[in-house]
Amino acid sequence: MKKYITWISFVLVFFALWKTQAQNLKSVTKFSLTGFNGFSYSLWDSATFYKNGKLIDWPFTGGFNSSQFFHCKLNEDNIPDLVIFDRDGNTLTTFINTGKNELLPFRHAPEYVTNFPAMYNWIHVYDFNCDGVDDLFTSEYDYISSYTGIMKNNQLKFSNNSIKLKADSLPVFCPSSDIPAFADIDFDGDMDILSFDQFGTRVVYYKNLSMDNFGTCDTLLFSSPVCWGNFSEDFSTNNVNLNDSCSGGRWAKNGIVENNLHAGSTLLALDYDGDNDNDLLVGDISFYYLNLLTNGGTNNYANITEQNPTFPTSSDKVNIRIFPASYLIDIDNDNIKDLIAAPNAPPASANINQIFTYKNTSLTTSYSLQYLSDTLWSGKTIDVGTGAMPVFIDLDKDGLKDLLIGNQFYTYNNGKQTGQLMYFRNTGTLSSPAFTMDTDDYLSASSFGLFGLSPAFGDMDNDGDSDLLLGDLEGHVHLFLDTAEVNSPANFALKQFNYKNIDAGNSAIPQLFDLNEDGKLDIIIGERGGRIKYYENIGTLTEPDFSDTPTSSFLGKVDVMKQCCTGYCAPLFTKSEGKIILLAGSENGWIYEYDDIANNLNGNFLLIDSVKIPGHRIFLSMGDITNDNSSEMVIGNFGGGIFMYKLSSATSIKENVYYQNNFLFYQSGNDLNIEIFKHLSDLPYEITIYNSSGTSVKQLSVFPFNNRYKIPIGEISAGFYFIVLRNRGGVVVGKWVKM
């Protein structure tokens, strides 16, 4: 299969960078922020969304880009549930099987996500030890790690430590760009592995010796790899070379050892023709199609004798831009495995209409696939392609806040890319919102020829309505004024393209906010480098004016780029209890909260809290959409999905152990223990404990001579507290519940 040099470069660079986005999986169901007096935000499961006249069943999955599909028993009801892992951001979505005989009979159940370990690039679920509990396999650089599944309190959990798989004394090899095949290749009862080897044109077979040596399937003991199938990848087409043995010792073609650099392939082993041996579905990074390789040999000696490079048929072939991968799951609870195909190369792959679903209609052990749809999965969720940037705004001026979502881009299977705005109109009531998709191309934004569309709203000309400032990927902003009559739906007219010639760098994420509190809206822009630029309004209420040079190019010394080479700061300034607070979304999936902003625009803002949100390139907006005088929050991520949260009480979060950066807080009896793994500086620390109302209840200073401190807390009553450590080296905040 063709290995273009450009794609080799893409894989090496992309997968090296994407590894830095690997996430420890966190629950999306609840988090809290210091500046909101310890109140927590909970995922708003009851929020309702409609599209094309149908209820969106799973609005808050976070989007599907390069998704991988596996059955996994998340609880003890013995019904196969579903997990979807996305290589784009290394995120996991979990679903419970409802048991109904219908298409996609799954309920989104994000509470199971935290039971999984950190996973990278790809996963596979397989009960390798035959104990009835699913186990987990994932990429570890160019090797494979496993976690043993444990059923505890009716929930699937995993061993704390992973095991790197080995064949003899060497690691089982699998390039991080690939997806290997896990199956009982020789039909002896234990799990074997097929993968491409280091030289890139041969599939190799790692035979599990568990049954051979011990008569059981509960061990991962692999022999040295041997060439499988008697074929090699073709250099220039989607075909393979048949009858090409591995004679000559190490994988060799015509007796010459090959040294091709492997660019990427996906494998799925399945007995497609029902003849009791494994055939192979292969996807390649350079092509849009899957190739079915038919095994004309046996389960002990594979010999690929036929191929179908436009699988399953030329008229209904998998056609995905680019690098397709395939998965087997039962999509309708008929106990027959169906086929899913999805891309495996973010961000170059298609991100819309890119998940192909085929129903297996065969009543025998062979497969007979009927194409269903490429929109079945996306129709169940909110997904704007790549990069969701949502904002609450009442566009039809009926008194109910609507939802507008900008995106980075859609990538279609034909290679076309567009930046668009998706509009959900609030068709509910003041206290019970419901959102109905009006259009996925509001303002016909796809015609602008822009990407990275980040909307911000504010009354720029003091005429009583909200105008639109639209940021783009190139770092510019564009002003649209609402020219509609009072109480009439918004009618935006372009005031100025490249407004005031402002250029904030790459990926302008604007906000309109009166930062200096002079009664006029200023322009604040987060950008790709992780910093915030501030443009003061030097005009009037009705005629705003801005210099193209920022008033501050490093506002508050806020920098959310924690590692090379991007930060993608998404600023949201808001007021809590009359105080200006900054929430800054980031590339690495953290929201950083800052205080000490008013009258300190030339100084350093104080970092007071942070919280991890699933995914990366986090964008957030707030608004009271339930008429209860508290703000709901909507969060977008780079996967193209959103999460919506509602304010709840502080007492629902109880964390007796808190870890942030290089500090650990935990209570032991009447002592609060603080462990410092790396000091902020060699200067004394000021430690302050605040109650949920913001009142200091204990304060002391310590010198950084030790790494462990005990603070007597017997006099502090039970309740929710914040612990703040400060010195000139920085500040860290921890949440603590005194029991």
Side-chain angles (χ1 to χ4, degrees):
M1 298 179 186
K2 194 170 183 181
K3 308 299 183 191
Y4 296 112
I5 296 300
T6 53
W7 282 115
I8 293 174
S9 301
F10 166 79
V11 170
L12 293 177
V13 173
F14 168 75
F15 286 105
L17 291 177
W18 225 249
K19 175 72 172 180
T20 66
Q21 302 305 329
Q23 312 290 347
N24 287 320
L25 298 175
K26 301 291 182 182
S27 172
V28 300
T29 57
K30 188 172 294 185
F31 64 88
S32 64
L33 292 164
T34 300
F36 297 88
N37 291 328
F39 281 83
S40 65
Y41 277 89
S42 298
L43 188 66
W44 194 2
D45 292 325
S46 60
T48 52
F49 288 79
Y50 298 88
K51 180 166 57 176
N52 299 327
K54 296 180 180 179
L55 179 71
I56 299 177
D57 293 323
W58 318 323
F60 307 136
T61 63
F64 299 138
N65 281 356
S66 294
S67 301
Q68 303 167 19
F69 301 78
F70 299 94
H71 278 309
C72 183
K73 294 178 183 176
L74 297 173
N75 53 32
E76 294 182 292
D77 66 3
N78 207 34
I79 301 175
D81 304 305
L82 176 69
V83 296
I84 301 178
F85 179 78
D86 206 301
R87 188 187 282 269
D88 191 351
N90 295 301
T91 57
L92 185 75
T93 312
T94 50
F95 300 83
I96 290 296
N97 193 329
T98 65
K100 298 178 181 178
N101 294 107
E102 61 186 18
L103 272 177
L104 307 190
F106 306 108
R107 173 181 60 82
H108 185 210
E111 63 271 20
Y112 290 90
V113 169
T114 52
N115 294 341
F116 285 74
M119 299 173 289
Y120 313 107
N121 301 317
W122 56 262
I123 71 167
H124 198 94
V125 178
Y126 196 113
D127 179 14
F128 82 87
N129 55 9
C130 307
D131 64 352
V133 179
D134 285 318
D135 307 301
L136 183 67
F137 299 84
T138 188
S139 169
E140 184 176 344
Y141 300 101
D142 286 337
Y143 306 107
I144 299 175
S145 288
S146 69
Y147 293 87
T148 302
I150 305 164
M151 197 61 71
K152 186 176 181 180
N153 298 326
N154 196 33
Q155 290 197 15
L156 175 65
K157 301 189 177 183
F158 296 93
S159 55
N160 292 327
N161 299 316
S162 64
I163 298 174
K164 184 181 290 186
L165 302 190
K166 291 188 176 182
D168 288 340
S169 59
L170 296 177
V172 174
F173 178 79
C174 177
S176 60
S177 58
D178 286 14
I179 294 178
F182 294 78
D184 184 4
I185 299 299
D186 54 5
F187 284 63
D188 68 346
D190 55 22
M191 184 198 77
D192 309 301
I193 299 174
L194 297 179
S195 176
F196 272 90
D197 81 314
Q198 294 95 322
F199 301 101
T201 59
R202 304 286 182 175
V203 169
V204 295
Y205 168 37
Y206 293 91
K207 175 178 169 54
N208 192 346
L209 300 175
S210 181
M211 290 297 294
D212 301 74
N213 290 3
F214 310 112
T216 63
C217 58
D218 59 1
T219 304
L220 296 171
L221 180 66
F222 297 96
S223 63
S224 295
V226 295
C227 186
W228 186 90
N230 290 326
F231 72 93
S232 63
E233 287 188 307
D234 187 80
F235 182 76
S236 59
T237 73
N238 195 34
N239 294 348
V240 300
N241 302 309
L242 303 178
N243 302 312
D244 195 349
S245 70
C246 299
S247 60
R250 193 66 176 164
W251 332 129
K253 183 177 180 180
N254 300 323
I256 301 174
V257 175
E258 296 172 338
N259 290 300
N260 294 22
L261 179 63
H262 185 66
S265 296
T266 65
L267 302 177
L268 175 67
L270 73 169
D271 186 6
Y272 191 79
D273 52 12
D275 64 349
N276 295 314
D277 58 32
N278 276 286
D279 308 302
L280 197 63
L281 266 176
V282 182
D284 186 80
I285 195 168
S286 303
F287 295 94
Y288 293 16
Y289 313 142
L290 290 171
N291 191 357
L292 174 65
L293 307 184
T294 300
N295 184 358
T298 67
N299 53 39
N300 285 308
Y301 182 79
N303 183 32
I304 300 302
T305 56
E306 297 180 25
Q307 59 183 310
N308 176 7
T310 56
F311 173 85
T313 66
S314 58
S315 60
D316 284 331
K317 60 181 176 290
V318 171
N319 186 6
I320 296 174
R321 176 188 172 87
I322 57 171
F323 200 5
S326 50
Y327 311 92
L328 295 177
I329 66 168
D330 181 0
I331 62 171
D332 53 7
N333 279 338
D334 65 354
N335 296 315
I336 299 174
K337 290 292 182 67
D338 307 293
L339 184 84
I340 308 294
N344 187 50
S349 295
N351 58 30
I352 181 172
N353 302 340
Q354 83 285 20
I355 301 174
F356 281 50
T357 305
Y358 296 82
K359 177 170 174 55
N360 183 3
T361 60
S362 175
L363 299 178
T364 67
T365 56
S366 63
Y367 284 74
S368 178
L369 297 179
Q370 174 191 352
Y371 174 70
L372 294 184
S373 174
D374 60 5
T375 62
L376 184 63
W377 295 87
S378 60
K380 291 277 192 177
T381 192
I382 297 173
D383 192 340
V384 296
T386 292
M389 291 166 276
V391 176
F392 289 124
I393 180 69
D394 184 7
L395 289 175
D396 57 3
K397 299 178 189 173
D398 62 353
L400 307 177
K401 281 188 169 59
D402 309 305
L403 182 66
L404 188 70
I405 310 174
N407 77 347
Q408 192 88 343
F409 50 78
Y410 284 113
T411 301
Y412 294 86
N413 273 316
N414 62 7
K416 180 182 178 182
Q417 288 188 319
T418 60
Q420 296 178 205
L421 297 169
M422 182 178 286
Y423 170 33
F424 280 92
R425 189 162 55 90
N426 189 342
T427 55
T429 66
L430 273 175
S431 60
S432 182
F435 297 93
T436 301
M437 194 183 82
D438 186 275
T439 176
D440 63 358
D441 197 14
Y442 185 68
L443 297 183
S444 299
S446 62
S447 66
F448 299 164
L450 302 174
F451 303 104
L453 300 185
S454 180
F457 290 91
D459 189 358
M460 292 287 281
D461 50 7
N462 199 38
D463 65 349
D465 54 30
S466 291
D467 305 303
L468 168 64
L469 190 69
L470 193 63
D472 72 20
L473 193 63
E474 299 299 320
H476 305 295
V477 292
H478 316 282
L479 181 61
F480 297 78
L481 295 181
D482 184 359
T483 60
E485 298 294 329
V486 177
N487 297 325
S488 295
N491 181 38
F492 291 108
L494 179 64
K495 173 69 174 178
Q496 185 180 349
F497 197 75
N498 290 346
Y499 183 59
K500 300 295 182 181
N501 293 316
I502 289 173
D503 185 350
N506 291 323
S507 295
I509 304 174
Q511 184 188 7
L512 294 171
F513 186 85
D514 182 11
L515 191 59
N516 59 2
E517 299 183 285
D518 66 351
K520 298 174 295 182
L521 289 177
D522 307 303
I523 296 177
I524 300 137
I525 304 178
E527 47 84 34
R528 180 177 182 268
R531 298 182 178 185
I532 301 173
K533 294 182 179 179
Y534 164 49
Y535 298 82
E536 181 184 358
N537 189 343
I538 54 177
T540 66
L541 278 174
T542 56
E543 294 289 338
D545 194 17
F546 302 88
S547 169
D548 60 0
T549 301
T551 309
S552 172
S553 59
F554 194 6
L555 181 64
K557 302 302 184 287
V558 171
D559 187 351
V560 301
M561 186 177 74
K562 300 304 180 184
Q563 55 189 357
C564 180
C565 299
T566 56
Y568 289 96
C569 183
L572 175 65
F573 286 89
T574 186
K575 285 193 174 182
S576 176
E577 304 293 331
K579 179 190 294 187
I580 297 177
I581 296 291
L582 166 63
L583 303 178
S586 68
E587 165 80 358
N588 62 15
W590 287 82
I591 297 173
Y592 299 96
E593 183 181 14
Y594 294 86
D595 197 349
D596 195 15
I597 296 170
N599 303 314
N600 188 33
L601 300 186
N602 295 318
N604 292 10
F605 297 167
L606 179 64
L607 177 65
I608 60 172
D609 207 347
S610 59
V611 62
K612 177 70 183 70
I613 299 296
H616 59 293
R617 295 197 198 176
I618 300 301
F619 181 102
L620 61 159
S621 174
M622 300 178 73
D624 181 6
I625 61 172
T626 56
N627 198 37
D628 60 356
N629 296 315
S630 65
S631 291
E632 284 69 41
M633 184 182 296
V634 60
I635 294 176
N637 66 21
F638 197 62
I642 67 169
F643 303 101
M644 193 173 288
Y645 294 87
K646 188 173 177 60
L647 204 63
S648 59
S649 66
T651 56
S652 59
I653 288 189
K654 298 195 175 188
E655 299 180 5
N656 289 321
V657 178
Y658 182 84
Y659 172 79
Q660 177 171 323
N661 298 331
N662 294 303
F663 294 80
L664 178 69
F665 307 92
Y666 60 96
Q667 180 181 342
S668 177
N670 285 323
D671 292 322
L672 178 65
N673 295 271
I674 300 177
E675 287 191 40
I676 302 175
F677 304 116
K678 181 179 178 182
H679 289 287
L680 295 172
S681 74
D682 58 359
L683 298 171
Y685 286 98
E686 179 185 273
I687 301 177
T688 309
I689 301 176
Y690 296 92
N691 62 21
S692 60
S693 299
T695 303
S696 171
V697 297
K698 193 175 186 74
Q699 189 172 32
L700 70 158
S701 295
V702 297
F703 289 87
F705 299 141
N706 301 310
N707 289 333
R708 292 181 176 86
Y709 302 92
K710 284 189 176 183
I711 301 175
I713 52 172
E715 77 280 12
I716 298 178
S717 58
F720 186 92
Y721 295 90
F722 298 99
I723 308 160
V724 181
L725 279 75
R726 291 189 183 91
N727 70 11
R728 291 185 182 178
V731 61
V732 66
V733 179
K735 304 187 254 311
W736 165 56
V737 174
K738 170 70 181 299
M739 305 302 289

